[in-house]
Every structure is written in structure tokens, then in C-alpha cells.
Amino acid sequence: MNEIQITGGLLLAGILFTLGLVGVLIRRNIIFMLVCVEIMLNAAGLAFIVAGSKWAQPDGQVMFIFILTMAAAEVSVGLALILQIHHQLKTLDGDAANTMKG
């Protein structure tokens, strides 16, 4: 019973991580890229939770809280950069950011 839940949880985490990775690679809109990175971070957090439950250790939950904190900081910095790119270039296309200097 416990083995099925671990396999299912890790499979779901792998699928979510793959979807996020594909989204980052094929999307051009910076906001969608940021959302896909968040999906990848949540998939990693799910894998930590599942692994922590397998060994009955709270380390997985602690790592998930750390990942949530890091994701919140990443979103705040990412949204600030997106606003600045939109202000400078009037677009959210990730390829247009290559024209920036510095």
C-alpha cells in the first residue's frame, strides 16, 4: 500500500517537472516561463515530501518549506524583472530581452 503511493507520487512529480521543463523550453512569453519554473519547483517539493514520507523523516517537509520560501523570493524578483523588461521593451517576448545591454 505504501509502495504504490510512493511510486505514484514520484511519477506525478516527474510528470510535473517534465511539463514545466517543456514549458520553459518552448514558451517565449516570460510570464509563462516563470509559471513553468514554479511548476518545476513544486514538482521538486512533491518529490521531497514523498521521499520524506517513505523514510518517515520530517526532512522532506522542511525542504518543501524551504522550496516554498525560495519560490516566493524567485517570483518577486522575477516579476520585478518582467515589469522592467516590459517597461523598457514594451513586450514580454523572452527573445527580445537579448537586445538589452549590460
Side-chain angles (χ1 to χ4, degrees):
M1 177 78 182
N2 198 14
E3 190 69 30
I4 294 172
Q5 293 173 349
I6 292 168
T7 304
L10 288 178
L11 182 66
L12 179 63
I15 290 171
L16 286 174
F17 191 85
T18 304
L19 286 175
L21 182 64
V22 169
V24 167
L25 293 177
I26 65 171
R27 289 289 185 165
R28 289 187 174 182
N29 191 323
I30 298 172
I31 292 177
F32 281 113
M33 293 170 75
L34 186 65
V35 169
C36 290
V37 168
E38 291 298 318
I39 291 172
M40 291 169 62
L41 286 173
N42 283 327
L46 178 62
F48 276 115
I49 293 287
V50 170
S53 70
K54 167 144 176 73
W55 291 294
Q57 296 290 323
D59 297 341
Q61 295 171 357
V62 171
M63 285 302 295
F64 185 68
I65 291 172
F66 176 73
I67 288 173
L68 283 179
T69 306
M70 185 184 68
E74 179 253 335
V75 165
S76 63
V77 172
L79 287 177
L81 287 172
I82 288 170
L83 285 175
Q84 194 64 297
I85 287 172
H86 186 264
H87 179 72
Q88 296 288 327
L89 302 175
K90 306 294 184 214
T91 183
L92 291 178
D93 188 14
D95 294 334
N98 287 338
T99 60
M100 296 178 74
K101 296 179 181 176

